[in-house]
Amino acid sequence: MLQRPRRNRKSAVIRDMIQETRLDASNLIFPLFIVDGQNQKTEVKSMPGIYRYSIDNLLKEVESCLKLGLRSFDLFPNIEESLKDKYATESYRDGSLYLRAIAAVKKNFPEACIVTDVAMDPYSSDGHDGIVENGEILNDETLEVLGKMALAHAQSGADIIAPSDMMDGRIGYIRELLDHNGFTNVSLMSYTAKYASAYYGPFRDALGSAPKHGDKKTYQMNPANAKEALIEAQLDAQEGADFLMVKPGLPYLDIVKLLADNFDLPIAVYNVSGEYAMLKAAIQNGWLDERVILETLLSFRRAGATAILSYHSKEVLEKGFISHSTI
């Protein structure tokens, strides 16, 4: 045999030399849940090792992550039911929990990159990503609320704003509003292909943001569709998106590759709560070795993702699975 592929696997040095896909801390974004109050740190039961933090403990968590080389964070609020209403007014109210959290992190750690979530569901009494009228999710009327939210995030110090609502036209609407108000340097990471998935359960548990009625199938995508993602991506790119995101991750690696192959914008992927929960459960039960976490994150990079939002972000650094540089 003239060619023996095993020769390139015979030592760690050679294996590292020819490794095609690399992952380091700069590829990771760590989602963090926040609650009101002081000295709060409560574990999400369906997500072992993931907590809801009050702002004082949030700052401690961000600091510990920065020491590991993890520099990007996506914040999500757990809002009291009494503060929710039909138009999600708490989402842009001056002095609200979320806006205070953004400002506090940027004040204490200006080097951190803060990604913010723009959607109505955490603040909506209906639990939907848009305004609900007679059982219908109103698209264009919702854009005004999303714009107010995005502008408030930018004013509080957000580096990247990530609209996750899937309303038509929201990227163009938010981009124009931000630019008009002088926030031309604030980036938009669009949830471009967000599927109506069953993998979101633990996340909704963490936020208490499940729909009060109906489902999200009129605005989130059908899991059976791939070409539709190209339509969404083309629109987002034309409207000014800086990143295109696929959510969930593992069941949609083909969509990650589809967008990476067809667009020059950076591709993000959300390794969602259900994916995290099932791996953690299997690891805790001894059914899988924890190395499966690294294998999972590498699959996103191999498919073409530049940015990976993952609840595993901190632990892969703590356990030495990856370093500040590369594996």
Side-chain angles (χ1 to χ4, degrees):
M1 296 178 64
L2 292 178
Q3 284 199 322
R4 291 181 179 267
R6 285 187 58 191
R7 283 196 289 262
N8 284 342
R9 303 176 198 141
K10 67 184 178 183
S11 73
V13 173
I14 295 175
R15 289 194 297 271
D16 289 345
M17 182 187 302
I18 67 166
Q19 182 168 310
E20 299 173 21
T21 304
R22 298 191 178 273
L23 172 72
D24 65 42
S26 65
N27 299 120
L28 301 175
I29 301 172
F30 192 23
L32 292 169
F33 299 119
I34 52 176
V35 293
D36 212 345
Q38 290 288 321
N39 197 30
Q40 297 294 310
K41 181 182 178 182
T42 58
E43 189 171 33
V44 181
K45 291 182 178 179
S46 53
M47 300 177 70
I50 298 299
Y51 299 86
R52 305 178 189 92
Y53 299 96
S54 53
I55 292 176
D56 53 342
N57 282 330
L58 172 70
L59 296 176
K60 295 176 184 177
E61 180 67 2
V62 169
E63 183 177 22
S64 70
C65 290
L66 290 170
K67 290 178 179 178
L68 292 168
L70 183 56
R71 299 176 295 174
S72 297
F73 307 90
D74 198 349
L75 305 182
F76 295 93
N78 182 297
I79 302 297
E80 294 180 14
E81 285 295 322
S82 63
L83 296 175
K84 298 180 181 181
D85 61 31
K86 185 180 183 65
Y87 299 102
T89 56
E90 182 67 11
S91 67
Y92 53 84
R93 180 184 65 82
D94 187 33
S96 68
L97 168 67
Y98 197 62
L99 301 184
R100 286 188 284 115
I102 298 167
V105 175
K106 288 305 294 184
K107 177 182 177 181
N108 287 274
F109 308 105
E111 70 275 25
C113 176
I114 300 302
V115 184
T116 63
D117 180 60
V118 169
M120 286 182 58
D121 55 334
Y123 312 91
S124 167
S125 52
D126 293 301
H128 275 284
D129 296 60
I131 298 171
V132 182
E133 290 286 358
N134 299 318
E136 180 184 355
I137 312 300
L138 303 183
N139 190 97
D140 294 4
E141 292 83 351
T142 296
L143 299 186
E144 183 177 350
V145 178
L146 301 177
K148 291 178 180 179
M149 197 184 310
L151 183 58
H153 294 182
Q155 291 168 337
S156 299
D159 298 287
I160 301 174
I161 290 172
S164 62
D165 55 283
M166 289 298 287
M167 296 296 114
D168 291 341
R170 89 276 203 209
I171 296 301
Y173 185 95
I174 292 172
R175 182 73 273 162
E176 183 177 355
L177 183 64
L178 291 176
D179 289 354
H180 180 73
N181 285 274
F183 294 103
T184 56
N185 286 333
V186 175
S187 305
L188 290 181
M189 178 182 285
S190 175
Y191 284 61
T192 293
K194 181 179 181 180
Y195 286 86
S197 171
Y199 281 88
Y200 302 146
F203 177 90
R204 291 172 181 170
D205 176 32
L207 294 191
S209 62
K212 300 299 190 295
H213 53 80
D215 54 42
K216 300 190 176 187
K217 293 181 180 179
T218 66
Y219 48 99
Q220 294 180 357
M221 288 176 54
N222 185 339
N225 293 354
K227 292 181 181 178
E228 187 179 0
L230 293 173
I231 297 172
E232 292 281 4
Q234 185 64 49
L235 289 169
D236 286 350
Q238 290 172 348
E239 291 175 21
D242 299 289
F243 297 78
L244 305 176
M245 188 197 294
V246 177
K247 181 183 180 182
L250 277 177
Y252 299 92
L253 289 175
D254 60 320
I255 308 302
V256 175
K257 180 166 175 52
L258 183 66
L259 296 192
D261 286 347
N262 284 277
F263 294 89
D264 293 329
L265 291 172
I267 306 300
V269 63
Y270 202 143
N271 178 209
V272 300
S273 59
E275 299 168 49
Y276 174 87
M278 67 182 185
L279 286 190
K280 294 297 283 188
I283 292 166
Q284 289 181 349
N285 280 282
W287 300 333
L288 290 174
D289 187 281
E290 63 182 5
R291 289 177 301 172
V292 73
I293 298 170
L294 179 57
E295 190 174 340
T296 298
L297 297 179
L298 278 172
S299 76
F300 300 131
R301 290 284 288 135
R302 196 176 62 248
T306 299
I308 304 168
L309 288 82
S310 177
Y311 301 97
H312 297 291
S313 294
K314 186 180 182 183
E315 69 175 315
V316 294
L317 288 160
E318 286 181 317
K319 293 177 179 178
F321 289 170
I322 67 173
S323 66
H324 291 203
S325 53
T326 56
I327 63 169

